[in-house]
Amino acid sequence: MKNSTSLFVTDPLSSLNPKKDTTILWMQEIAAQDGHIYQCEISDLIYCDGLTQATVSKIPDPLSNPQVALSVDQLMALNDFNVVYMRKDPPVNEDYMNALHLLSQAKQEGANVMNDPDSLKKFNEKIFALQFSQWMPDTRVICKKEDLLSFKKKHEIIILKPLDGMGGESIYKFENLSPQHLDIFQDLTNNFQTMVMVQNFLPEIFDGDYRILIIHGKPFPVALARIPQGGSFKGNLAAGGKGEARALNPIQQEVGEEIGKLLLAQGITFAGIDMIGNYLTEINITSPTGAREILNQTQQNPITAFLESL
């Protein structure tokens, strides 16, 4: 990546935590190889004069001051960068999708966009996992109350989650279905119109919700087990979970390799699969995290592995 130019499409720089954020670690690793780092938000993307371009800022010193950026006077075409990294966090809403449409246009113009914007448009992270249902817990995608009641009859405890959430937001555990719980379901489904996912509860969560990074189709040998804290059932770091780096077990390795084949074929070069026990729960392709915690605890760097595999 020596003397390369990289553009990162992110949330506002001020919202990224330099001590934890995978995107900032990514910028720093490229900068350490004498690469040049530029940043923009999705609102900075523009199509004009026959090209997909962006109003960008340059980060002069990502290693010491990763949140200090200087505006560049002129628009820059996306196909002028060696790589454009799409690292905007969900939600995958209309603005996000419109940005993907522009990134797909940039791809047609010769820009090298990672992950492939066409695949980001194609796959919902939770529904994507259904292609590997043999490794998943009992799962239904529903929006009707009668389907929720039917599923609850099968399982003592169930998990309810939206299809477009992140970081443990709006995830519920139901041990019974009180009127309050039914109100939550009605609200989350926008009055029984919007699909949600329900799964049987996996008590293995208390040993960790494993984030396994898939780099160019191969699982990184160390996963981040996110362990619920304080009586919570959520392991997500954003929901207060504690991250603990652990070597992959044979089943995690097998699942990671099998999913990695499809990811690579779809141009998804950096992803994160989530596993609880031996069960797959999600495939993260938008802006997977966990690399910084793995590096801090083991001195093994997933981002270095990614850059070396380019």
Side-chain angles (χ1 to χ4, degrees):
M1 301 300 290
K2 189 176 181 66
N3 295 318
S4 66
T5 56
S6 300
L7 173 64
F8 286 81
V9 184
T10 73
D11 287 298
L13 274 179
S14 60
S15 71
L16 307 184
N17 185 338
K19 294 181 179 180
K20 297 181 178 180
D21 194 86
T22 293
T23 299
I24 287 183
L25 173 62
W26 208 315
M27 295 176 177
Q28 291 173 330
E29 290 303 308
I30 294 174
Q33 299 179 23
D34 296 325
H36 303 282
I37 305 299
Y38 295 80
Q39 179 269 345
C40 74
E41 299 175 30
I42 60 175
S43 60
D44 294 318
L45 298 172
I46 181 174
Y47 181 86
C48 66
D49 299 328
L51 280 175
T52 307
Q53 306 180 66
T55 302
V56 304
S57 298
K58 185 174 183 179
I59 304 178
D61 185 8
L63 296 173
S64 301
N65 297 291
Q67 292 176 297
V68 175
L70 303 177
S71 296
V72 175
D73 290 338
Q74 75 277 3
L75 289 169
M76 295 186 66
L78 269 58
N79 60 12
D80 282 341
F81 293 95
N82 292 99
V83 186
V84 176
Y85 294 105
M86 178 50 161
R87 291 287 300 174
K88 169 75 175 69
D89 284 339
V92 180
N93 54 21
E94 182 179 3
D95 295 334
Y96 189 100
M97 291 300 294
N98 286 337
L100 291 181
H101 289 309
L102 279 181
L103 291 174
S104 290
Q105 175 60 30
K107 174 186 167 186
Q108 294 298 315
E109 298 161 6
N112 183 17
V113 185
M114 297 182 181
N115 284 319
D116 189 317
D118 293 332
S119 292
L120 294 180
K121 286 188 294 183
K122 180 178 178 181
F123 296 112
N124 172 280
E125 294 185 315
K126 292 181 175 62
I127 292 179
F128 191 10
L130 300 179
Q131 296 194 36
F132 302 93
S133 60
Q134 69 270 28
W135 286 310
M136 295 185 71
D138 192 8
T139 300
R140 293 185 186 178
V141 178
I142 62 174
C143 64
K144 302 298 184 185
K145 181 170 72 173
E146 54 266 30
D147 293 321
L148 176 68
L149 296 173
S150 172
F151 189 72
K152 182 63 179 70
K153 287 180 181 179
K154 288 187 63 180
H155 301 287
E156 183 177 355
I157 305 174
I158 64 173
I159 296 295
L160 167 68
K161 51 190 174 183
L163 295 178
D164 60 354
M166 64 165 288
E169 294 178 358
S170 301
I171 297 180
Y172 298 92
K173 182 176 74 167
F174 292 165
E175 298 185 25
N176 54 59
L177 287 180
S178 67
Q180 180 184 9
H181 294 137
L182 292 175
D183 287 344
I184 291 171
F185 180 77
Q186 183 173 358
D187 182 62
L188 207 61
T189 59
N190 293 314
N191 202 28
F192 312 120
Q193 297 300 313
T194 300
M195 295 290 182
V196 296
M197 181 173 281
V198 288
Q199 295 175 319
N200 61 296
F201 175 69
L202 299 171
E204 295 94 329
I205 181 64
F206 297 112
D207 184 53
D209 180 356
Y210 284 76
R211 164 59 53 82
I212 301 164
L213 296 176
I214 310 295
I215 298 171
H216 283 273
K218 300 294 184 182
F220 194 70
V222 181
L224 187 68
R226 300 163 299 177
I227 304 167
Q229 302 292 300
S232 173
F233 69 93
K234 299 178 183 180
N236 311 73
L237 300 185
K242 176 185 177 183
E244 183 177 307
R246 298 176 183 170
L248 297 191
N249 66 37
I251 293 178
Q252 291 169 339
Q253 182 73 29
E254 178 187 358
V255 174
E257 289 180 357
E258 191 64 29
I259 294 175
K261 295 175 186 176
L262 177 59
L263 291 173
L264 192 59
Q266 295 291 335
I268 300 170
T269 54
F270 190 82
I273 66 172
D274 293 343
M275 293 187 69
I276 298 173
N278 293 329
Y279 294 96
L280 171 71
T281 60
E282 194 167 323
I283 301 176
N284 297 271
I285 59 176
T286 50
S287 56
T289 62
R292 176 77 76 177
E293 290 83 359
I294 291 172
L295 172 61
N296 289 345
Q297 294 183 37
T298 68
Q299 305 309 306
Q300 297 185 63
N301 193 333
I303 301 304
T304 298
F306 175 87
L307 296 176
E308 289 176 348
S309 67
L310 285 178

